[in-house]
Amino acid sequence: MSLIKLTIKGISYSQTQSGAYALVLSEMEGTRTLPIIIGAFEAQSIAIALEKEIRPPRPLTHDLFKTFSDRFSITIKEVIIHKLVDGVFFSSLVCEREGVEETIDTRTSDAIAIAVRFQAPIYTYENILDKAGIYLKIEEELAINETTDLDNNTIDIEDFESNIVKSNFSDLSVPELNEQLDKAVEDENYELAAKIRDEISKRS
């Protein structure tokens, strides 16, 4: 069965599950997207790895994994989302060290957080996209207005690119924004930090 390459499209706060996020993956050559429910910590970890410009004061768990792997010459070749059972996605990390390849079972959220740090490709199979994927409607604002039902929990995916953190910074000055940025990094709220940094960049 052939593999389908995916890319990270965005992260959206889940409106139906408190404290959860929907990680939206999109096939590279097609219009289907794959929404996966993940926890807040994993969402922050993925977001900070994607941003790259924001560095946490101390290494996150997935950063530690990357440092450990680099120290012992372990590379992550790819991540494969290979199974979907009762709304739960199962994934594997394909690792290599000194020419020896190993496959490790892992949670999908952890696998993707690690893949981003290694710049490793993410794949899934056609049957999983057929079962859980949704089609991206090409509209003027390229917004997703579809829903998918995983394990009887409906995930609303709307304007995910702007919904990572809902905050209004229009009333704050740049020095105040910088203070908020420092506090967000100190609190390890990296999604909020990314939003504040973007607001500061707009005013530069």
Side-chain angles (χ1 to χ4, degrees):
M1 190 179 298
S2 61
L3 292 170
I4 298 173
K5 191 173 184 179
L6 303 172
T7 185
I8 298 174
K9 191 69 175 178
I11 303 173
S12 173
Y13 187 76
S14 174
Q15 299 177 9
T16 60
Q17 298 188 39
S18 177
Y21 290 77
L23 171 67
V24 183
L25 304 177
S26 176
E27 60 179 333
M28 293 286 288
E29 299 180 0
T31 60
R32 288 174 296 182
T33 60
L34 192 66
I36 300 173
I37 291 296
I38 62 175
F41 172 78
E42 291 78 11
Q44 285 191 349
S45 181
I46 293 169
I48 191 64
L50 289 171
E51 288 294 336
K52 296 181 180 179
E53 295 181 13
I54 298 176
R55 296 182 179 274
R58 299 295 297 156
L60 301 180
T61 302
H62 301 113
D63 295 325
L64 177 61
F65 182 93
K66 176 68 164 62
T67 302
F68 176 89
S69 299
D70 289 344
R71 185 67 58 87
F72 291 95
S73 302
I74 300 170
T75 60
I76 304 300
K77 295 184 63 178
E78 60 190 16
V79 165
I80 301 176
I81 304 171
H82 60 82
K83 187 167 63 173
L84 173 62
V85 178
D86 295 330
V88 178
F89 292 90
F90 292 75
S91 296
S92 297
L93 283 174
V94 180
C95 313
E96 185 179 61
R97 180 174 184 267
E98 297 180 351
V100 178
E101 189 173 292
E102 298 284 350
T103 300
I104 301 174
D105 182 42
T106 178
R107 296 190 309 166
T108 298
S109 55
D110 289 327
I112 292 174
I114 291 169
V116 173
R117 286 164 170 80
F118 281 87
Q119 297 183 335
I122 303 166
Y123 297 98
T124 192
Y125 292 107
E126 181 71 33
N127 65 317
I128 293 179
L129 274 176
D130 285 341
K131 187 176 181 180
I134 60 175
Y135 282 90
L136 175 65
K137 291 184 177 181
I138 306 301
E139 300 179 352
E140 291 183 0
E141 296 181 355
L142 294 179
I144 290 183
N145 296 314
E146 298 288 336
T147 62
T148 186
D149 194 331
L150 300 180
D151 198 21
N152 298 321
N153 291 317
T154 300
I155 308 162
D156 294 320
I157 311 296
E158 296 181 348
D159 297 329
F160 48 81
E161 290 179 338
S162 62
N163 284 345
I164 294 178
V165 177
K166 287 287 188 181
S167 300
N168 183 5
F169 304 118
S170 59
D171 296 331
L172 298 179
S173 65
V174 172
E176 289 173 329
L177 286 171
N178 281 316
E179 289 181 8
Q180 292 293 324
L181 176 60
D182 291 340
K183 186 177 186 305
V185 172
E186 182 180 349
D187 294 340
E188 299 186 358
N189 189 344
Y190 303 118
E191 291 172 273
L192 178 59
K195 282 295 183 181
I196 297 172
R197 190 213 63 200
D198 290 344
E199 179 66 24
I200 294 173
S201 297
K202 290 178 184 177
R203 303 189 192 185
S204 301

